[in-house]
Amino acid sequence: DGGITQSPKYLFRKEGQNVTLSCEQNLNHDAMYWYRQDPGQGLRLIYYSQIVNDFQKGDIAEGYSVSREKKESFPLTVTSAQKNPTAFYLCASSIDYIRGTQETQYFGPGTRLLVL
Amino acid sequence: SQQGEEDPQALSIQEGENATMNCSYKTSINNLQWYRQNSGRGLVHLILIRSNEREKHSGRLRVTLDTSKKSSSLLITASRAADTASYFCATAVEMNRDDKIIFGKGTRLHILP
């Protein structure tokens, strides 16, 4: 059963703590993305990766870090530098990164991050 | 308006009626996509329409694209309770060497029983 998974579903962060959100896909997609969604808002791009061992900053990368050591995995770390981390985080993947044409993105179920 | 802005922000209709949502954008696009998001879940791709297409159908969904007006509409016919969700349009914007997708803020659709 192919798809994209995220864990955990809910995550609690204490003040000054780094937390890591997991994203795994078995769709054999090259490109992966992390988005942040605030209540009643659209999606804002945090980081994206076109290929293994490569990633680029999106619109709101400050306070976040990523790695792409394996094709199927793209974890996101929310660092203590991110002062307002409470949000719904969505991971997505696509066959290839957009080059002149849009590619359908497949989304995971999301992780809701809350600050204690 | 910003790139990929949906209208209306919220819509409530009776079950069985048709629902129409609109998306306007500012810059030229190659394609436009519509996604659905149920509350607290990830987005699900509904339909993609290319810039050289004017209309596309998928089941009870009909999408139109007017590149001269820089707008698209999503029509859901014979609405059902299960159609209650937020609907987002996504447009690709050329940034340097690559395109990136920009999502609008969405239309919240509520189907009344």
Side-chain angles (χ1 to χ4, degrees):
Chain A
D1 188 25
I4 181 165
T5 59
Q6 291 184 241
S7 63
K9 188 172 182 179
Y10 296 95
L11 186 57
F12 298 91
R13 192 190 93 162
K14 294 180 181 178
E15 218 45 63
Q17 186 181 41
N18 292 356
V19 292
T20 298
L21 285 62
S22 168
C23 178
E24 304 277 331
Q25 54 98 359
N26 61 3
L27 301 167
N28 201 32
H29 286 172
D30 284 320
M32 297 187 75
Y33 314 80
W34 273 107
Y35 294 93
R36 170 180 172 140
Q37 185 179 32
D38 292 282
Q41 300 295 312
L43 279 64
R44 291 185 290 169
L45 183 65
I46 305 173
Y47 267 98
Y48 63 93
S49 169
Q50 298 171 249
I51 199 167
V52 175
N53 292 322
D54 179 70
F55 50 83
Q56 306 293 330
K57 291 182 179 180
D59 298 319
I60 54 166
E62 187 174 349
Y64 300 97
S65 66
V66 293
S67 63
R68 186 83 188 277
E69 297 176 2
K70 299 187 295 183
K71 186 175 185 177
E72 56 272 20
S73 180
F74 190 41
L76 173 75
T77 296
V78 184
T79 74
S80 56
Q82 173 50 244
K83 298 306 179 188
N84 184 25
T86 297
F88 190 50
Y89 291 86
L90 287 161
C91 180
S93 69
S94 64
I95 294 173
D96 193 359
Y97 188 68
I98 301 159
R99 293 203 182 278
T101 62
Q102 290 189 18
E103 294 286 350
T104 297
Q105 294 193 6
Y106 296 82
F107 284 81
T111 292
R112 191 165 298 279
L113 177 61
L114 300 164
V115 177
L116 295 176
Chain B
S1 67
Q2 64 177 17
Q3 182 75 1
E5 185 172 309
E6 294 90 345
D7 170 64
Q9 291 185 355
L11 179 62
S12 293
I13 61 171
Q14 293 294 138
E15 191 169 10
E17 293 181 341
N18 296 342
T20 300
M21 290 156 272
N22 303 295
C23 173
S24 59
Y25 55 91
K26 293 201 288 191
T27 63
S28 296
I29 60 170
N30 292 319
N31 307 285
L32 184 144
Q33 299 183 56
W34 284 92
Y35 288 81
R36 184 187 75 212
Q37 183 182 34
N38 289 86
S39 181
R41 308 291 291 274
L43 276 69
V44 174
H45 179 258
L46 294 176
I47 202 163
L48 181 152
I49 186 165
R50 303 189 186 281
S51 58
N52 61 354
E53 296 175 313
R54 292 294 166 259
E55 189 170 308
K56 205 162 182 179
H57 296 254
S58 177
R60 292 184 296 112
L61 306 180
R62 188 186 82 164
V63 169
T64 62
L65 179 65
D66 187 335
T67 52
S68 66
K69 294 182 180 178
K70 291 187 168 60
S71 69
S72 172
S73 68
L74 170 67
L75 168 68
I76 304 174
T77 60
S79 63
R80 305 168 182 170
D83 295 329
T84 294
S86 291
Y87 292 82
F88 296 88
C89 70
T91 55
V93 177
E94 188 171 337
M95 303 280 288
N96 302 319
R97 297 180 297 118
D98 301 320
D99 283 359
K100 74 170 188 179
I101 284 184
I102 296 179
F103 288 84
K105 293 184 179 181
T107 291
R108 294 186 306 282
L109 175 64
H110 184 57
I111 306 301
L112 303 167

